[in-house]
Amino acid sequence: PLATALLGISISTVSGLSTSSAPSIPTSYTNVCNARSLGNSELIVSEACLGTMTFGVQNNRDDAFEQLDYAKSVGVNFIDTAELYPVPLFAETWKAGATEKIVGEYIEKIGPSQRDDLVIATKIAGFMSKSAIAAARRGEDGGNPDEFPDCRLDEASVKEACHASLDRLRTDRIDLMQIHWPDRYVPLFGQTQFNHQSIRKDAVPIEETAAALRDLIEEGKIRYIGLSNESPLGVSEWVKATEKLGIRDKLVSIQNSYSLLDRRFDSDLAEMCSHYGIGLLPWSVLAGGLLSGKYSNGEGSGSYIAASSNSRFRAYPKYMSRWSPSSASQLTLDATSEYAKIATECGLTPSELAIAFVRTRQFVADNGSIIVGATTMEQLKENLNPFLGEEKTNDLKILSDDVIEAIDKVHMKCRDPSCSL
């Protein structure tokens, strides 16, 4: 029965989730919640990673510090940000790098010893024409948008972006530097069809980007490399480039969308990343908040935290339109309702079910980490609660086979419904 969905059992006893081949975790990391190596590296991270993209628009500095303090207090040592953040970019208060500045102020406040306890990840933006993000790399604030430089991933741009992030983060090194999206054309953010007419002949070669990151590694400014919003072709080319440059062991993660509503990673990318020891950092595990139940009309959604006026799709209904209740497809809304009903039968909130499902995926459980964020402390605590076992042991609450079967039935009826051509 679904009511017995949550079982307090060791992750190593669950079929398909053995971590016996993972590197052993040093005893000094006992305070890190469900600690694991990221990819095949020596970078030890918590099972949950705090996402920060609301810092600077929906959350102010005080809100952000409260979230960071709470996350640290429950054993989250992994913080993810980006030079692009906060979002959405069309918000009146948006400014490129504002989130990194807030995180940097927090790092300065807690001091060097506590900073050493954290794993700080940020991201360099890929190709974007006439971008305020590229201007911010040069310290330019405002001006004529038509005169902004393009965001690119050539050697000079990568190094410029890294130095700007280091300044904003007020730290001497970035633990994980990720490429937010490629310089070349790829379908992004829910698109599934490759458009040959969109190929750009001037795309920066991956090897050039990788060589710039190698230089930064050698200078001690970054420690490891991660990808984001990447395709199987991109992963394979990055593996080849880093092997050629002698830094293959530094390529450790990929940050792609993954949730009940977007399971595209389950196929080719899961095989490839497993083979190369690259861990997944899934983003939008709650589909921008849609899977939390907060926007529900109440049918079959059980217990959940209701949306406030500051909730993403209340404040910015046009942002992430594929998941926004006002514009999402009917299939997306129907699937969301079906998953909420399963959560109710399990005695879970919709958020808890959505997060618990992602925790069962081997490409996360073995060597990845789940990015969670929130606009309120109440929501953050609910989102982090599934990771907090008794006495912070590695006993996880894993969904039963019956629940996975019920989830898969909905998935087969509504496969990745929020994705589009």
Side-chain angles (χ1 to χ4, degrees):
L2 297 189
T4 62
L6 295 184
L7 307 174
I9 50 182
S10 169
I11 189 169
S12 63
T13 67
V14 181
S15 176
L17 293 184
S18 173
T19 58
S20 58
S21 62
S24 60
I25 307 301
T27 56
S28 57
Y29 289 93
T30 53
N31 289 328
V32 176
C33 182
N34 301 325
R36 73 275 312 279
S37 296
L38 184 59
N40 284 340
S41 74
E42 296 180 355
L43 196 61
I44 307 302
V45 299
S46 47
E47 185 188 9
C49 172
L50 181 65
T52 63
M53 69 181 188
T54 60
F55 296 0
V57 170
Q58 290 178 273
N59 292 111
N60 61 29
R61 181 179 182 272
D62 290 342
D63 296 336
F65 278 27
E66 186 179 13
Q67 288 197 24
L68 288 159
D69 279 339
Y70 178 74
K72 276 177 71 258
S73 75
V74 296
V76 174
N77 76 332
F78 196 9
I79 312 298
D80 179 70
T81 187
E83 65 169 346
L84 173 150
Y85 293 166
V87 296
L89 276 63
F90 58 78
E92 289 184 6
T93 57
W94 178 81
K95 183 180 291 187
T99 302
E100 286 186 330
K101 284 186 176 180
I102 292 173
V103 174
E105 290 170 2
Y106 183 80
I107 289 172
E108 186 174 63
K109 186 197 86 162
I110 62 177
S113 64
Q114 289 192 58
R115 188 278 176 247
D116 290 345
D117 293 335
L118 297 177
V119 174
I120 303 296
T122 192
K123 297 185 281 294
I124 300 175
F127 177 80
M128 182 183 287
S129 179
K130 304 293 184 185
S131 173
I133 302 165
R137 294 172 180 174
R138 304 175 182 180
E140 300 171 9
D141 185 11
N144 181 358
D146 291 333
E147 297 177 0
F148 286 158
D150 294 343
C151 258
R152 301 306 302 268
L153 292 174
D154 58 278
E155 177 185 359
S157 296
V158 167
K159 292 180 177 180
E160 191 173 57
C162 178
H163 293 145
S165 289
L166 285 168
D167 286 344
R168 288 189 292 259
L169 289 167
R170 305 188 188 193
T171 186
D172 61 351
R173 82 280 185 190
I174 292 163
D175 299 301
L176 179 67
M177 179 60 89
Q178 303 159 99
I179 301 301
H180 208 156
W181 62 88
D183 192 273
R184 71 187 192 284
Y185 160 72
V186 290
L188 289 170
F189 308 122
Q191 296 176 335
T192 59
Q193 183 167 290
F194 187 85
N195 182 355
H196 291 76
Q197 285 68 45
S198 296
I199 296 173
R200 295 189 347 273
K201 295 182 180 179
D202 68 340
V204 175
I206 285 174
E207 187 175 332
E208 180 178 345
T209 307
L213 294 173
R214 176 204 56 195
D215 292 348
L216 292 165
I217 289 171
E218 291 176 350
E219 294 168 10
K221 294 174 181 176
I222 66 175
R223 296 176 62 198
Y224 292 94
I225 301 168
L227 309 178
S228 182
N229 299 300
E230 221 2 315
S231 69
L233 172 65
V235 173
S236 66
E237 290 299 309
W238 270 95
V239 168
K240 287 194 292 186
T242 53
E243 284 179 343
K244 182 177 179 180
L245 294 166
I247 54 169
R248 172 63 191 87
D249 60 324
K250 300 299 183 181
L251 180 61
V252 300
S253 65
I254 181 171
Q255 188 176 144
N256 276 31
S257 172
Y258 190 80
S259 71
L260 288 169
L261 293 176
D262 184 358
R263 293 174 57 176
R264 289 172 294 161
F265 195 90
D266 279 335
S267 184
D268 298 347
L269 277 168
E271 178 188 20
M272 178 165 285
C273 292
S274 174
H275 179 74
Y276 288 115
I278 296 172
L280 176 65
L281 308 177
W283 60 265
S284 277
V285 295
L286 295 180
L290 182 63
L291 287 169
S292 70
K294 65 169 69 176
Y295 303 101
S296 171
N297 61 10
E299 289 186 20
S301 57
S303 173
Y304 60 91
I305 298 170
S308 69
S309 60
N310 192 43
S311 295
R312 179 173 300 158
F313 296 136
R314 292 279 188 266
Y316 303 103
K318 294 182 180 180
Y319 183 56
M320 291 183 167
S321 59
R322 64 193 180 281
W323 294 321
S324 177
S326 63
S327 54
S329 69
Q330 191 59 50
L331 277 177
T332 297
L333 298 177
D334 289 347
T336 300
S337 178
E338 289 294 316
Y339 291 130
K341 290 176 183 176
I342 294 172
T344 299
E345 293 181 39
C346 295
L348 303 174
T349 67
S351 290
E352 288 171 339
L353 179 79
I355 292 170
F357 169 74
V358 177
R359 294 182 78 204
T360 68
R361 306 295 89 181
Q362 187 166 337
F363 43 74
V364 174
D366 278 357
N367 56 7
S369 180
I370 299 172
I371 301 171
V372 296
T375 54
T376 68
M377 281 301 301
E378 183 182 19
Q379 188 74 61
L380 180 63
K381 289 178 180 179
E382 180 183 2
N383 292 348
L384 287 179
N385 187 60
F387 303 97
L388 308 179
E390 291 183 7
E391 300 178 357
K392 289 199 218 175
T393 67
N394 280 333
D395 283 350
L396 304 181
K397 292 179 177 178
I398 306 296
L399 296 184
S400 70
D401 290 342
D402 289 342
V403 179
I404 296 297
E405 183 179 354
I407 288 171
D408 285 344
K409 285 181 179 178
V410 177
H411 174 61
M412 293 307 294
K413 287 194 300 181
C414 309
R415 296 188 69 174
D416 307 325
S418 59
C419 296
S420 64
L421 297 179

